[in-house]
PDB file of all heavy atoms in Angstrom:
ATOM      1  N   LEU K   1       8.385  43.937   5.881  1.00  0.00           N
ATOM      2  CA  LEU K   1       7.109  44.623   5.701  1.00  0.00           C
ATOM      3  C   LEU K   1       7.302  46.064   6.069  1.00  0.00           C
ATOM      4  O   LEU K   1       7.409  46.327   7.298  1.00  0.00           O
ATOM      5  CB  LEU K   1       5.967  43.943   6.397  1.00  0.00           C
ATOM      6  CG  LEU K   1       4.614  44.546   6.114  1.00  0.00           C
ATOM      7  CD1 LEU K   1       4.147  44.267   4.681  1.00  0.00           C
ATOM      8  CD2 LEU K   1       3.563  43.988   7.093  1.00  0.00           C
ATOM      9  N   GLN K   2       7.395  46.928   5.107  1.00  0.00           N
ATOM     10  CA  GLN K   2       7.510  48.366   5.438  1.00  0.00           C
ATOM     11  C   GLN K   2       6.087  48.947   5.557  1.00  0.00           C
ATOM     12  O   GLN K   2       5.323  48.823   4.635  1.00  0.00           O
ATOM     13  CB  GLN K   2       8.270  49.154   4.307  1.00  0.00           C
ATOM     14  CG  GLN K   2       8.342  50.630   4.534  1.00  0.00           C
ATOM     15  CD  GLN K   2       9.181  51.051   5.729  1.00  0.00           C
ATOM     16  OE1 GLN K   2      10.280  50.476   5.955  1.00  0.00           O
ATOM     17  NE2 GLN K   2       8.688  51.986   6.521  1.00  0.00           N
ATOM     18  N   MET K   3       5.813  49.500   6.723  1.00  0.00           N
ATOM     19  CA  MET K   3       4.444  49.994   6.999  1.00  0.00           C
ATOM     20  C   MET K   3       4.534  51.470   7.246  1.00  0.00           C
ATOM     21  O   MET K   3       5.152  51.949   8.183  1.00  0.00           O
ATOM     22  CB  MET K   3       3.917  49.311   8.275  1.00  0.00           C
ATOM     23  CG  MET K   3       3.879  47.793   8.146  1.00  0.00           C
ATOM     24  SD  MET K   3       3.074  46.935   9.558  1.00  0.00           S
ATOM     25  CE  MET K   3       4.170  47.397  10.893  1.00  0.00           C
ATOM     26  N   ASN K   4       3.826  52.235   6.367  1.00  0.00           N
ATOM     27  CA  ASN K   4       3.801  53.673   6.484  1.00  0.00           C
ATOM     28  C   ASN K   4       2.372  54.139   6.689  1.00  0.00           C
ATOM     29  O   ASN K   4       1.440  53.388   6.528  1.00  0.00           O
ATOM     30  CB  ASN K   4       4.317  54.347   5.172  1.00  0.00           C
ATOM     31  CG  ASN K   4       5.745  54.009   4.839  1.00  0.00           C
ATOM     32  OD1 ASN K   4       6.544  53.763   5.714  1.00  0.00           O
ATOM     33  ND2 ASN K   4       6.038  53.863   3.537  1.00  0.00           N
ATOM     34  N   SER K   5       2.285  55.388   7.178  1.00  0.00           N
ATOM     35  CA  SER K   5       0.922  56.019   7.464  1.00  0.00           C
ATOM     36  C   SER K   5       0.104  55.023   8.302  1.00  0.00           C
ATOM     37  O   SER K   5      -1.052  54.802   7.977  1.00  0.00           O
ATOM     38  CB  SER K   5       0.247  56.352   6.148  1.00  0.00           C
ATOM     39  OG  SER K   5       1.010  57.184   5.376  1.00  0.00           O
ATOM     40  N   LEU K   6       0.600  54.560   9.406  1.00  0.00           N
ATOM     41  CA  LEU K   6      -0.067  53.572  10.218  1.00  0.00           C
ATOM     42  C   LEU K   6      -1.329  54.167  10.866  1.00  0.00           C
ATOM     43  O   LEU K   6      -1.392  55.351  11.130  1.00  0.00           O
ATOM     44  CB  LEU K   6       0.859  53.007  11.250  1.00  0.00           C
ATOM     45  CG  LEU K   6       1.901  51.965  10.736  1.00  0.00           C
ATOM     46  CD1 LEU K   6       3.020  51.826  11.736  1.00  0.00           C
ATOM     47  CD2 LEU K   6       1.193  50.628  10.543  1.00  0.00           C
ATOM     48  N   LYS K   7      -2.301  53.314  10.951  1.00  0.00           N
ATOM     49  CA  LYS K   7      -3.626  53.718  11.535  1.00  0.00           C
ATOM     50  C   LYS K   7      -3.890  52.847  12.723  1.00  0.00           C
ATOM     51  O   LYS K   7      -3.357  51.715  12.838  1.00  0.00           O
ATOM     52  CB  LYS K   7      -4.732  53.482  10.482  1.00  0.00           C
ATOM     53  CG  LYS K   7      -4.519  54.213   9.166  1.00  0.00           C
ATOM     54  CD  LYS K   7      -5.590  53.849   8.179  1.00  0.00           C
ATOM     55  CE  LYS K   7      -5.383  54.503   6.854  1.00  0.00           C
ATOM     56  NZ  LYS K   7      -6.428  54.145   5.864  1.00  0.00           N
ATOM     57  N   PRO K   8      -4.708  53.297  13.662  1.00  0.00           N
ATOM     58  CA  PRO K   8      -5.086  52.472  14.841  1.00  0.00           C
ATOM     59  C   PRO K   8      -5.675  51.094  14.404  1.00  0.00           C
ATOM     60  O   PRO K   8      -5.421  50.107  15.110  1.00  0.00           O
ATOM     61  CB  PRO K   8      -6.140  53.319  15.503  1.00  0.00           C
ATOM     62  CG  PRO K   8      -5.780  54.723  15.203  1.00  0.00           C
ATOM     63  CD  PRO K   8      -5.254  54.713  13.773  1.00  0.00           C
ATOM     64  N   GLU K   9      -6.329  51.051  13.274  1.00  0.00           N
ATOM     65  CA  GLU K   9      -6.911  49.778  12.871  1.00  0.00           C
ATOM     66  C   GLU K   9      -5.877  48.770  12.355  1.00  0.00           C
ATOM     67  O   GLU K   9      -6.184  47.631  12.044  1.00  0.00           O
ATOM     68  CB  GLU K   9      -7.975  49.961  11.758  1.00  0.00           C
ATOM     69  CG  GLU K   9      -7.553  50.880  10.607  1.00  0.00           C
ATOM     70  CD  GLU K   9      -8.035  52.292  10.809  1.00  0.00           C
ATOM     71  OE1 GLU K   9      -7.851  52.812  11.983  1.00  0.00           O
ATOM     72  OE2 GLU K   9      -8.548  52.899   9.839  1.00  0.00           O
ATOM     73  N   ASP K  10      -4.649  49.215  12.228  1.00  0.00           N
ATOM     74  CA  ASP K  10      -3.507  48.313  11.863  1.00  0.00           C
ATOM     75  C   ASP K  10      -2.980  47.578  13.094  1.00  0.00           C
ATOM     76  O   ASP K  10      -2.139  46.689  12.973  1.00  0.00           O
ATOM     77  CB  ASP K  10      -2.361  49.102  11.242  1.00  0.00           C
ATOM     78  CG  ASP K  10      -2.744  49.695   9.899  1.00  0.00           C
ATOM     79  OD1 ASP K  10      -3.412  49.050   9.147  1.00  0.00           O
ATOM     80  OD2 ASP K  10      -2.319  50.871   9.641  1.00  0.00           O
ATOM     81  N   THR K  11      -3.468  47.937  14.297  1.00  0.00           N
ATOM     82  CA  THR K  11      -3.039  47.228  15.501  1.00  0.00           C
ATOM     83  C   THR K  11      -3.372  45.758  15.460  1.00  0.00           C
ATOM     84  O   THR K  11      -4.578  45.389  15.205  1.00  0.00           O
ATOM     85  CB  THR K  11      -3.717  47.897  16.729  1.00  0.00           C
ATOM     86  OG1 THR K  11      -3.231  49.242  16.869  1.00  0.00           O
ATOM     87  CG2 THR K  11      -3.422  47.143  17.995  1.00  0.00           C
ATOM     88  N   ALA K  12      -2.386  44.971  15.605  1.00  0.00           N
ATOM     89  CA  ALA K  12      -2.541  43.480  15.561  1.00  0.00           C
ATOM     90  C   ALA K  12      -1.158  42.818  15.834  1.00  0.00           C
ATOM     91  O   ALA K  12      -0.168  43.497  15.927  1.00  0.00           O
ATOM     92  CB  ALA K  12      -3.012  43.096  14.153  1.00  0.00           C
ATOM     93  N   VAL K  13      -1.286  41.471  15.953  1.00  0.00           N
ATOM     94  CA  VAL K  13      -0.059  40.719  15.913  1.00  0.00           C
ATOM     95  C   VAL K  13       0.219  40.335  14.502  1.00  0.00           C
ATOM     96  O   VAL K  13      -0.721  39.872  13.793  1.00  0.00           O
ATOM     97  CB  VAL K  13      -0.217  39.440  16.784  1.00  0.00           C
ATOM     98  CG1 VAL K  13       1.053  38.580  16.646  1.00  0.00           C
ATOM     99  CG2 VAL K  13      -0.467  39.742  18.235  1.00  0.00           C
ATOM    100  N   TYR K  14       1.392  40.592  14.064  1.00  0.00           N
ATOM    101  CA  TYR K  14       1.821  40.377  12.683  1.00  0.00           C
ATOM    102  C   TYR K  14       2.630  39.120  12.565  1.00  0.00           C
ATOM    103  O   TYR K  14       3.625  38.928  13.305  1.00  0.00           O
ATOM    104  CB  TYR K  14       2.566  41.508  12.121  1.00  0.00           C
ATOM    105  CG  TYR K  14       1.624  42.719  11.767  1.00  0.00           C
ATOM    106  CD1 TYR K  14       1.086  43.459  12.774  1.00  0.00           C
ATOM    107  CD2 TYR K  14       1.375  42.992  10.420  1.00  0.00           C
ATOM    108  CE1 TYR K  14       0.180  44.540  12.458  1.00  0.00           C
ATOM    109  CE2 TYR K  14       0.544  44.100  10.128  1.00  0.00           C
ATOM    110  CZ  TYR K  14      -0.044  44.812  11.104  1.00  0.00           C
ATOM    111  OH  TYR K  14      -0.897  45.838  10.818  1.00  0.00           O
ATOM    112  N   TYR K  15       2.213  38.213  11.650  1.00  0.00           N
ATOM    113  CA  TYR K  15       2.891  36.923  11.458  1.00  0.00           C
ATOM    114  C   TYR K  15       3.464  36.865  10.026  1.00  0.00           C
ATOM    115  O   TYR K  15       2.821  37.248   9.111  1.00  0.00           O
ATOM    116  CB  TYR K  15       1.904  35.830  11.602  1.00  0.00           C
ATOM    117  CG  TYR K  15       1.264  35.660  12.967  1.00  0.00           C
ATOM    118  CD1 TYR K  15       0.141  36.350  13.262  1.00  0.00           C
ATOM    119  CD2 TYR K  15       1.904  34.933  13.960  1.00  0.00           C
ATOM    120  CE1 TYR K  15      -0.471  36.275  14.487  1.00  0.00           C
ATOM    121  CE2 TYR K  15       1.296  34.803  15.193  1.00  0.00           C
ATOM    122  CZ  TYR K  15       0.113  35.472  15.449  1.00  0.00           C
ATOM    123  OH  TYR K  15      -0.494  35.325  16.740  1.00  0.00           O
ATOM    124  N   CYS K  16       4.648  36.341   9.899  1.00  0.00           N
ATOM    125  CA  CYS K  16       5.168  35.935   8.558  1.00  0.00           C
ATOM    126  C   CYS K  16       4.911  34.457   8.393  1.00  0.00           C
ATOM    127  O   CYS K  16       4.879  33.690   9.323  1.00  0.00           O
ATOM    128  CB  CYS K  16       6.622  36.377   8.348  1.00  0.00           C
ATOM    129  SG  CYS K  16       7.815  35.401   9.239  1.00  0.00           S
ATOM    130  N   ALA K  17       4.880  34.084   7.119  1.00  0.00           N
ATOM    131  CA  ALA K  17       4.575  32.719   6.743  1.00  0.00           C
ATOM    132  C   ALA K  17       5.341  32.336   5.481  1.00  0.00           C
ATOM    133  O   ALA K  17       5.661  33.226   4.669  1.00  0.00           O
ATOM    134  CB  ALA K  17       3.080  32.516   6.585  1.00  0.00           C
ATOM    135  N   ALA K  18       5.570  31.066   5.340  1.00  0.00           N
ATOM    136  CA  ALA K  18       6.332  30.554   4.157  1.00  0.00           C
ATOM    137  C   ALA K  18       5.691  29.351   3.535  1.00  0.00           C
ATOM    138  O   ALA K  18       5.080  28.493   4.301  1.00  0.00           O
ATOM    139  CB  ALA K  18       7.746  30.194   4.627  1.00  0.00           C
ATOM    140  N   VAL K  19       5.797  29.234   2.248  1.00  0.00           N
ATOM    141  CA  VAL K  19       5.285  28.076   1.530  1.00  0.00           C
ATOM    142  C   VAL K  19       6.329  27.762   0.424  1.00  0.00           C
ATOM    143  O   VAL K  19       6.762  28.691  -0.292  1.00  0.00           O
ATOM    144  CB  VAL K  19       3.882  28.319   0.952  1.00  0.00           C
ATOM    145  CG1 VAL K  19       3.827  29.595   0.088  1.00  0.00           C
ATOM    146  CG2 VAL K  19       3.404  27.129   0.210  1.00  0.00           C
ATOM    147  N   GLN K  20       6.626  26.495   0.294  1.00  0.00           N
ATOM    148  CA  GLN K  20       7.566  26.100  -0.746  1.00  0.00           C
ATOM    149  C   GLN K  20       6.886  26.318  -2.125  1.00  0.00           C
ATOM    150  O   GLN K  20       5.732  25.922  -2.329  1.00  0.00           O
ATOM    151  CB  GLN K  20       7.974  24.639  -0.578  1.00  0.00           C
ATOM    152  CG  GLN K  20       9.113  24.240  -1.581  1.00  0.00           C
ATOM    153  CD  GLN K  20       9.768  22.951  -1.224  1.00  0.00           C
ATOM    154  OE1 GLN K  20       9.186  22.168  -0.428  1.00  0.00           O
ATOM    155  NE2 GLN K  20      10.834  22.655  -1.828  1.00  0.00           N
ATOM    156  N   SER K  21       7.568  26.970  -3.003  1.00  0.00           N
ATOM    157  CA  SER K  21       6.977  27.268  -4.306  1.00  0.00           C
ATOM    158  C   SER K  21       7.893  26.816  -5.443  1.00  0.00           C
ATOM    159  O   SER K  21       9.098  27.108  -5.465  1.00  0.00           O
ATOM    160  CB  SER K  21       6.766  28.787  -4.434  1.00  0.00           C
ATOM    161  OG  SER K  21       6.251  29.150  -5.698  1.00  0.00           O
ATOM    162  N   TYR K  22       7.352  26.087  -6.376  1.00  0.00           N
ATOM    163  CA  TYR K  22       8.111  25.588  -7.567  1.00  0.00           C
ATOM    164  C   TYR K  22       8.095  26.627  -8.670  1.00  0.00           C
ATOM    165  O   TYR K  22       8.742  26.405  -9.688  1.00  0.00           O
ATOM    166  CB  TYR K  22       7.541  24.293  -8.013  1.00  0.00           C
ATOM    167  CG  TYR K  22       7.658  23.218  -6.948  1.00  0.00           C
ATOM    168  CD1 TYR K  22       6.613  22.923  -6.086  1.00  0.00           C
ATOM    169  CD2 TYR K  22       8.866  22.561  -6.712  1.00  0.00           C
ATOM    170  CE1 TYR K  22       6.712  21.906  -5.131  1.00  0.00           C
ATOM    171  CE2 TYR K  22       9.017  21.620  -5.706  1.00  0.00           C
ATOM    172  CZ  TYR K  22       7.895  21.330  -4.913  1.00  0.00           C
ATOM    173  OH  TYR K  22       8.077  20.368  -3.902  1.00  0.00           O
ATOM    174  N   PHE K  23       7.378  27.747  -8.465  1.00  0.00           N
ATOM    175  CA  PHE K  23       7.306  28.765  -9.477  1.00  0.00           C
ATOM    176  C   PHE K  23       7.841  30.059  -8.856  1.00  0.00           C
ATOM    177  O   PHE K  23       7.352  30.530  -7.843  1.00  0.00           O
ATOM    178  CB  PHE K  23       5.861  28.928  -9.932  1.00  0.00           C
ATOM    179  CG  PHE K  23       5.257  27.687 -10.455  1.00  0.00           C
ATOM    180  CD1 PHE K  23       4.434  26.929  -9.633  1.00  0.00           C
ATOM    181  CD2 PHE K  23       5.571  27.198 -11.704  1.00  0.00           C
ATOM    182  CE1 PHE K  23       3.856  25.705 -10.103  1.00  0.00           C
ATOM    183  CE2 PHE K  23       5.037  26.048 -12.186  1.00  0.00           C
ATOM    184  CZ  PHE K  23       4.159  25.304 -11.352  1.00  0.00           C
ATOM    185  N   SER K  24       8.789  30.639  -9.457  1.00  0.00           N
ATOM    186  CA  SER K  24       9.469  31.807  -8.892  1.00  0.00           C
ATOM    187  C   SER K  24       8.685  33.067  -8.890  1.00  0.00           C
ATOM    188  O   SER K  24       8.976  34.048  -8.236  1.00  0.00           O
ATOM    189  CB  SER K  24      10.851  32.043  -9.615  1.00  0.00           C
ATOM    190  OG  SER K  24      10.544  32.377 -10.976  1.00  0.00           O
ATOM    191  N   ASN K  25       7.609  33.119  -9.716  1.00  0.00           N
ATOM    192  CA  ASN K  25       6.827  34.311  -9.893  1.00  0.00           C
ATOM    193  C   ASN K  25       5.387  34.172  -9.388  1.00  0.00           C
ATOM    194  O   ASN K  25       4.502  34.958  -9.794  1.00  0.00           O
ATOM    195  CB  ASN K  25       6.811  34.757 -11.344  1.00  0.00           C
ATOM    196  CG  ASN K  25       6.169  33.720 -12.210  1.00  0.00           C
ATOM    197  OD1 ASN K  25       5.970  32.654 -11.814  1.00  0.00           O
ATOM    198  ND2 ASN K  25       5.865  34.116 -13.440  1.00  0.00           N
ATOM    199  N   VAL K  26       5.179  33.274  -8.500  1.00  0.00           N
ATOM    200  CA  VAL K  26       3.843  33.046  -7.934  1.00  0.00           C
ATOM    201  C   VAL K  26       3.785  33.460  -6.498  1.00  0.00           C
ATOM    202  O   VAL K  26       4.709  33.126  -5.721  1.00  0.00           O
ATOM    203  CB  VAL K  26       3.404  31.544  -8.063  1.00  0.00           C
ATOM    204  CG1 VAL K  26       2.102  31.281  -7.353  1.00  0.00           C
ATOM    205  CG2 VAL K  26       3.336  31.202  -9.501  1.00  0.00           C
ATOM    206  N   TYR K  27       2.719  34.188  -6.057  1.00  0.00           N
ATOM    207  CA  TYR K  27       2.537  34.502  -4.707  1.00  0.00           C
ATOM    208  C   TYR K  27       1.258  33.792  -4.205  1.00  0.00           C
ATOM    209  O   TYR K  27       0.429  33.327  -4.981  1.00  0.00           O
ATOM    210  CB  TYR K  27       2.441  36.022  -4.475  1.00  0.00           C
ATOM    211  CG  TYR K  27       1.388  36.689  -5.287  1.00  0.00           C
ATOM    212  CD1 TYR K  27       0.029  36.599  -5.054  1.00  0.00           C
ATOM    213  CD2 TYR K  27       1.786  37.499  -6.407  1.00  0.00           C
ATOM    214  CE1 TYR K  27      -0.874  37.256  -5.866  1.00  0.00           C
ATOM    215  CE2 TYR K  27       0.842  38.122  -7.216  1.00  0.00           C
ATOM    216  CZ  TYR K  27      -0.494  38.036  -6.877  1.00  0.00           C
ATOM    217  OH  TYR K  27      -1.433  38.627  -7.688  1.00  0.00           O
ATOM    218  N   TYR K  28       1.091  33.747  -2.901  1.00  0.00           N
ATOM    219  CA  TYR K  28       0.016  33.072  -2.270  1.00  0.00           C
ATOM    220  C   TYR K  28      -0.680  33.995  -1.256  1.00  0.00           C
ATOM    221  O   TYR K  28       0.031  34.650  -0.476  1.00  0.00           O
ATOM    222  CB  TYR K  28       0.465  31.780  -1.644  1.00  0.00           C
ATOM    223  CG  TYR K  28       1.137  30.859  -2.566  1.00  0.00           C
ATOM    224  CD1 TYR K  28       2.520  30.997  -2.834  1.00  0.00           C
ATOM    225  CD2 TYR K  28       0.475  29.864  -3.223  1.00  0.00           C
ATOM    226  CE1 TYR K  28       3.155  30.170  -3.726  1.00  0.00           C
ATOM    227  CE2 TYR K  28       1.120  28.995  -4.100  1.00  0.00           C
ATOM    228  CZ  TYR K  28       2.449  29.171  -4.309  1.00  0.00           C
ATOM    229  OH  TYR K  28       3.098  28.294  -5.178  1.00  0.00           O
ATOM    230  N   TYR K  29      -1.955  34.040  -1.236  1.00  0.00           N
ATOM    231  CA  TYR K  29      -2.660  34.975  -0.329  1.00  0.00           C
ATOM    232  C   TYR K  29      -3.621  34.278   0.616  1.00  0.00           C
ATOM    233  O   TYR K  29      -4.226  34.887   1.470  1.00  0.00           O
ATOM    234  CB  TYR K  29      -3.296  36.096  -1.011  1.00  0.00           C
ATOM    235  CG  TYR K  29      -4.352  35.641  -2.118  1.00  0.00           C
ATOM    236  CD1 TYR K  29      -5.652  35.426  -1.713  1.00  0.00           C
ATOM    237  CD2 TYR K  29      -3.961  35.506  -3.404  1.00  0.00           C
ATOM    238  CE1 TYR K  29      -6.595  35.013  -2.645  1.00  0.00           C
ATOM    239  CE2 TYR K  29      -4.857  35.123  -4.405  1.00  0.00           C
ATOM    240  CZ  TYR K  29      -6.202  34.867  -4.009  1.00  0.00           C
ATOM    241  OH  TYR K  29      -7.063  34.478  -4.943  1.00  0.00           O
ATOM    242  N   ARG K  30      -3.806  32.974   0.438  1.00  0.00           N
ATOM    243  CA  ARG K  30      -4.697  32.209   1.329  1.00  0.00           C
ATOM    244  C   ARG K  30      -3.931  31.655   2.516  1.00  0.00           C
ATOM    245  O   ARG K  30      -2.878  31.060   2.332  1.00  0.00           O
ATOM    246  CB  ARG K  30      -5.386  31.094   0.547  1.00  0.00           C
ATOM    247  CG  ARG K  30      -6.330  31.545  -0.558  1.00  0.00           C
ATOM    248  CD  ARG K  30      -6.984  30.383  -1.231  1.00  0.00           C
ATOM    249  NE  ARG K  30      -7.863  30.781  -2.293  1.00  0.00           N
ATOM    250  CZ  ARG K  30      -7.465  30.876  -3.582  1.00  0.00           C
ATOM    251  NH1 ARG K  30      -6.193  30.651  -3.852  1.00  0.00           N
ATOM    252  NH2 ARG K  30      -8.308  31.301  -4.492  1.00  0.00           N
ATOM    253  N   ARG K  31      -4.476  31.860   3.685  1.00  0.00           N
ATOM    254  CA  ARG K  31      -3.798  31.365   4.896  1.00  0.00           C
ATOM    255  C   ARG K  31      -3.542  29.895   4.819  1.00  0.00           C
ATOM    256  O   ARG K  31      -2.440  29.415   5.274  1.00  0.00           O
ATOM    257  CB  ARG K  31      -4.665  31.721   6.107  1.00  0.00           C
ATOM    258  CG  ARG K  31      -4.019  31.469   7.435  1.00  0.00           C
ATOM    259  CD  ARG K  31      -4.974  31.911   8.580  1.00  0.00           C
ATOM    260  NE  ARG K  31      -6.206  31.225   8.505  1.00  0.00           N
ATOM    261  CZ  ARG K  31      -7.225  31.543   9.288  1.00  0.00           C
ATOM    262  NH1 ARG K  31      -7.197  32.548  10.112  1.00  0.00           N
ATOM    263  NH2 ARG K  31      -8.411  30.862   9.205  1.00  0.00           N
ATOM    264  N   SER K  32      -4.477  29.110   4.260  1.00  0.00           N
ATOM    265  CA  SER K  32      -4.336  27.672   4.230  1.00  0.00           C
ATOM    266  C   SER K  32      -3.175  27.194   3.335  1.00  0.00           C
ATOM    267  O   SER K  32      -2.822  26.015   3.415  1.00  0.00           O
ATOM    268  CB  SER K  32      -5.638  27.075   3.764  1.00  0.00           C
ATOM    269  OG  SER K  32      -5.974  27.531   2.432  1.00  0.00           O
ATOM    270  N   GLU K  33      -2.695  28.065   2.457  1.00  0.00           N
ATOM    271  CA  GLU K  33      -1.620  27.614   1.535  1.00  0.00           C
ATOM    272  C   GLU K  33      -0.247  27.661   2.226  1.00  0.00           C
ATOM    273  O   GLU K  33       0.676  27.082   1.694  1.00  0.00           O
ATOM    274  CB  GLU K  33      -1.608  28.541   0.348  1.00  0.00           C
ATOM    275  CG  GLU K  33      -2.871  28.408  -0.546  1.00  0.00           C
ATOM    276  CD  GLU K  33      -2.935  29.403  -1.648  1.00  0.00           C
ATOM    277  OE1 GLU K  33      -2.767  30.614  -1.367  1.00  0.00           O
ATOM    278  OE2 GLU K  33      -3.130  28.988  -2.784  1.00  0.00           O
ATOM    279  N   TYR K  34      -0.167  28.308   3.371  1.00  0.00           N
ATOM    280  CA  TYR K  34       1.134  28.425   4.035  1.00  0.00           C
ATOM    281  C   TYR K  34       1.423  27.275   5.012  1.00  0.00           C
ATOM    282  O   TYR K  34       0.541  26.969   5.835  1.00  0.00           O
ATOM    283  CB  TYR K  34       1.215  29.797   4.717  1.00  0.00           C
ATOM    284  CG  TYR K  34       1.402  30.964   3.728  1.00  0.00           C
ATOM    285  CD1 TYR K  34       0.358  31.585   3.117  1.00  0.00           C
ATOM    286  CD2 TYR K  34       2.734  31.343   3.407  1.00  0.00           C
ATOM    287  CE1 TYR K  34       0.543  32.595   2.218  1.00  0.00           C
ATOM    288  CE2 TYR K  34       2.919  32.395   2.498  1.00  0.00           C
ATOM    289  CZ  TYR K  34       1.828  33.018   1.902  1.00  0.00           C
ATOM    290  OH  TYR K  34       2.023  33.967   0.963  1.00  0.00           O
ATOM    291  N   ALA K  35       2.654  26.804   4.971  1.00  0.00           N
ATOM    292  CA  ALA K  35       2.941  25.681   5.776  1.00  0.00           C
ATOM    293  C   ALA K  35       3.700  26.048   7.065  1.00  0.00           C
ATOM    294  O   ALA K  35       3.654  25.277   8.060  1.00  0.00           O
ATOM    295  CB  ALA K  35       3.810  24.682   4.963  1.00  0.00           C
ATOM    296  N   TYR K  36       4.435  27.156   7.012  1.00  0.00           N
ATOM    297  CA  TYR K  36       5.236  27.535   8.152  1.00  0.00           C
ATOM    298  C   TYR K  36       4.907  28.906   8.575  1.00  0.00           C
ATOM    299  O   TYR K  36       4.684  29.856   7.779  1.00  0.00           O
ATOM    300  CB  TYR K  36       6.735  27.450   7.741  1.00  0.00           C
ATOM    301  CG  TYR K  36       7.155  26.102   7.223  1.00  0.00           C
ATOM    302  CD1 TYR K  36       7.226  25.847   5.843  1.00  0.00           C
ATOM    303  CD2 TYR K  36       7.380  25.077   8.078  1.00  0.00           C
ATOM    304  CE1 TYR K  36       7.608  24.658   5.362  1.00  0.00           C
ATOM    305  CE2 TYR K  36       7.790  23.846   7.602  1.00  0.00           C
ATOM    306  CZ  TYR K  36       7.879  23.610   6.248  1.00  0.00           C
ATOM    307  OH  TYR K  36       8.187  22.359   5.807  1.00  0.00           O
ATOM    308  N   TRP K  37       4.986  29.103   9.947  1.00  0.00           N
ATOM    309  CA  TRP K  37       4.562  30.343  10.546  1.00  0.00           C
ATOM    310  C   TRP K  37       5.498  30.755  11.587  1.00  0.00           C
ATOM    311  O   TRP K  37       6.101  29.925  12.334  1.00  0.00           O
ATOM    312  CB  TRP K  37       3.154  30.231  11.149  1.00  0.00           C
ATOM    313  CG  TRP K  37       2.102  30.015  10.182  1.00  0.00           C
ATOM    314  CD1 TRP K  37       1.687  28.824   9.592  1.00  0.00           C
ATOM    315  CD2 TRP K  37       1.251  30.999   9.587  1.00  0.00           C
ATOM    316  NE1 TRP K  37       0.691  29.072   8.673  1.00  0.00           N
ATOM    317  CE2 TRP K  37       0.390  30.381   8.650  1.00  0.00           C
ATOM    318  CE3 TRP K  37       1.157  32.437   9.691  1.00  0.00           C
ATOM    319  CZ2 TRP K  37      -0.585  31.026   7.912  1.00  0.00           C
ATOM    320  CZ3 TRP K  37       0.216  33.076   8.949  1.00  0.00           C
ATOM    321  CH2 TRP K  37      -0.646  32.417   8.084  1.00  0.00           C
ATOM    322  N   GLY K  38       5.746  32.084  11.753  1.00  0.00           N
ATOM    323  CA  GLY K  38       6.487  32.606  12.853  1.00  0.00           C
ATOM    324  C   GLY K  38       5.582  32.745  14.120  1.00  0.00           C
ATOM    325  O   GLY K  38       4.423  32.476  14.093  1.00  0.00           O
ATOM    326  N   GLN K  39       6.229  33.255  15.166  1.00  0.00           N
ATOM    327  CA  GLN K  39       5.527  33.397  16.423  1.00  0.00           C
ATOM    328  C   GLN K  39       4.761  34.704  16.561  1.00  0.00           C
ATOM    329  O   GLN K  39       3.918  34.889  17.470  1.00  0.00           O
ATOM    330  CB  GLN K  39       6.493  33.305  17.613  1.00  0.00           C
ATOM    331  CG  GLN K  39       7.273  34.523  17.956  1.00  0.00           C
ATOM    332  CD  GLN K  39       8.281  34.988  16.955  1.00  0.00           C
ATOM    333  OE1 GLN K  39       8.646  34.224  16.033  1.00  0.00           O
ATOM    334  NE2 GLN K  39       8.767  36.214  17.068  1.00  0.00           N
ATOM    335  N   GLY K  40       5.025  35.636  15.649  1.00  0.00           N
ATOM    336  CA  GLY K  40       4.324  36.922  15.642  1.00  0.00           C
ATOM    337  C   GLY K  40       5.034  38.062  16.385  1.00  0.00           C
ATOM    338  O   GLY K  40       5.833  37.778  17.293  1.00  0.00           O
ATOM    339  N   THR K  41       4.748  39.226  15.937  1.00  0.00           N
ATOM    340  CA  THR K  41       5.270  40.435  16.611  1.00  0.00           C
ATOM    341  C   THR K  41       4.132  41.449  16.713  1.00  0.00           C
ATOM    342  O   THR K  41       3.373  41.671  15.793  1.00  0.00           O
ATOM    343  CB  THR K  41       6.463  41.016  15.846  1.00  0.00           C
ATOM    344  OG1 THR K  41       7.023  42.099  16.582  1.00  0.00           O
ATOM    345  CG2 THR K  41       6.064  41.511  14.443  1.00  0.00           C
TER     346      THR K  41
END
């Protein structure tokens, strides 16, 4: 995640997440769709 022009409102813990996908060109934006999560940074 390349983050440019950062603002104070971007302050947060950032998490990456993964979901198994049978379609190579589909993305997911709902939190509930993701099965795996990192610990955050």
Side-chain angles (χ1 to χ4, degrees):
L1 185 67
Q2 178 66 44
M3 305 186 295
N4 299 330
S5 303
L6 282 161
K7 305 175 181 180
E9 50 264 44
D10 294 319
T11 295
V13 177
Y14 283 72
Y15 298 89
C16 73
V19 55
Q20 189 169 12
S21 177
Y22 297 99
F23 305 99
S24 63
N25 61 347
V26 173
Y27 54 74
Y28 303 85
Y29 57 87
R30 296 184 180 89
R31 188 177 61 188
S32 60
E33 294 174 309
Y34 285 88
Y36 303 99
W37 294 84
Q39 83 290 347
T41 185

